[in-house]
Amino acid sequence: MAVQIEAGIIECNAGHGTPSGGNRVISLVLRPDERPAEVVCWPALQGVNMRMALSLGMMFFFAAGLSVLEVKLFAGQQADNSIDSILSAGTRPDAPGLAALVKDRGRILFEKGYGVRELSSGARIDPQSNFRLASLTKQFTAMAIMLLARDGKLQYDDHLTDIFPGFPAYGRAITIRQLLTHTSGLPDYEALMEQEEKAKGPIWSAEHQIQDPEVLALLEKQTAGKFAAGTSWDYSNSGYVVLGLIIAKVAGMTYREFLYQKIFSSVGMNHTVVYQKGINEVTRRALGYTKEKDTFVETDQSATSATLGDGGIYSNVADLGKWDEALQKHTLLSEKEMLSALTPVMLADGSGPFWPKHGDSFNLAPGEPVSYGYGWFLDPYEGHPRMWHTGSTVGFRTVIERFPVDNLTIIILSNRTDLEPAALSEKIAKQLLPQGRR
């Protein structure tokens, strides 16, 4: 017969269990022959991150005679409480919210939804709720290109005019590699849309959205890029729309079909789709919202929501956990084949690139150095090697951060624009990453 006692865990204001830190009471179930410890104080844990705190705590409880299962349950609950306190602070059960997944050493440490995916129905967000990924799509577009390169269907140094012979002369200098790394200099298609509408009047809207071939047509009307290919770096949605078109032309099937056959089905992402209105549907779909004063307004679609290679995928944290596992285990590409994707791009003169000095919605750090591979940012976080990407579009904010050396992955998908998943992810990372390399 088990005897239940109360053990007070004094965390010395570490703040891992409650927003303010301090005392926390948990229940431990002990066997009759185990010695209860009434109060455990860890005065040395102030400023210690969650992983170290859990390790020290497990050492103590092993010494106290607890079973492996009981220690694991305790450790999991402490981590769960810490992450939950970060994510729940900015959400409400009756408002749009987020879904999150944290994996530690290949195992799911935390998986939970907050809020509703649709205000009209009140349907709750859970790990299977599908969000528009926005620019998280780019890592899948890059993977598709890499699969075609592996199979000899294209080469990274093929030029844009090799694929589309009718493209203007400035495309002769642009390579697939430069499209992947945002060094192509292609004009921004959203700016070109504005120019077109100034000349001709309204053309596109949330109801009549621009399609990929129209983006290509706008680019083909230009006579020069923003800069000579390879000489600078500028985040380019145009480049990834064009990559999506390249995938379709080279593979002989649509972008949607190729990603389903070669990526999603191969790794078990059974509820992830490249969404095309009128062709397929998104199950368990989260609609996007924008907060205006104290009210949430549905802002699910815009004039650019139908483009594919730069942001057209819908997925959920459960499926993205499978994507993370496939990357970890090299299910689709070997470690050697992935190396180019995880090597920061250098400019033609051998220098490292910088974010443009001008500020716009795609410029995260004007004038600062940037580290980018194929579909992934690669700059470290407090000394920890990292591959990551954010997504931002009307109604949605998303992030994935992978710390391959530390074997930690954090994924957050939000269907409201007033939340900042990247900031939340870094708070979680700070709790869980070892401190040695900070």
Side-chain angles (χ1 to χ4, degrees), residues 77-208:
Q77 185 61 50
Q78 290 298 96
D80 187 278
N81 289 340
S82 177
I83 297 168
D84 182 70
S85 69
I86 292 171
L87 297 175
S88 62
T91 59
R92 299 198 324 259
D94 61 344
L98 59 86
L101 174 73
V102 180
K103 294 180 68 179
D104 183 21
R105 302 176 180 92
R107 297 183 179 182
I108 295 175
L109 179 66
F110 183 90
E111 188 178 36
K112 189 175 180 179
Y114 298 81
V116 297
R117 54 186 172 88
E118 184 181 8
L119 282 175
S120 60
S121 67
R124 305 282 298 174
I125 292 173
D126 61 25
Q128 287 73 42
S129 297
N130 282 305
F131 296 74
R132 181 174 169 82
L133 294 188
S135 286
L136 266 63
T137 296
K138 290 180 172 68
Q139 61 203 255
F140 294 95
T141 300
M143 175 61 77
I145 289 288
M146 295 179 75
L147 290 172
L148 289 169
R150 180 199 62 187
D151 294 341
K153 301 292 181 65
L154 56 75
Q155 296 181 357
Y156 295 127
D157 292 323
D158 287 345
H159 293 87
L160 187 50
T161 50
D162 295 331
I163 311 296
F164 299 110
F167 201 88
Y170 77 95
R172 294 174 188 165
I174 297 174
T175 66
I176 290 176
R177 190 188 310 274
Q178 290 162 346
L179 293 172
L180 287 165
T181 57
H182 300 294
T183 57
S184 71
L186 279 180
D188 294 324
Y189 73 83
E190 291 186 59
L192 300 181
M193 290 170 66
E194 290 181 15
Q195 294 175 17
E196 195 80 357
E197 290 188 317
K198 283 181 180 179
K200 299 181 178 180
I203 302 173
W204 299 284
S205 66
E207 291 72 36
H208 181 71

Side-chain angles (χ1 to χ4, degrees), residues 211-218 220 241 245:
Q211 305 294 314
D212 288 0
E214 294 177 278
V215 171
L216 183 62
L218 288 175
E220 288 178 337
V241 172
L245 290 166

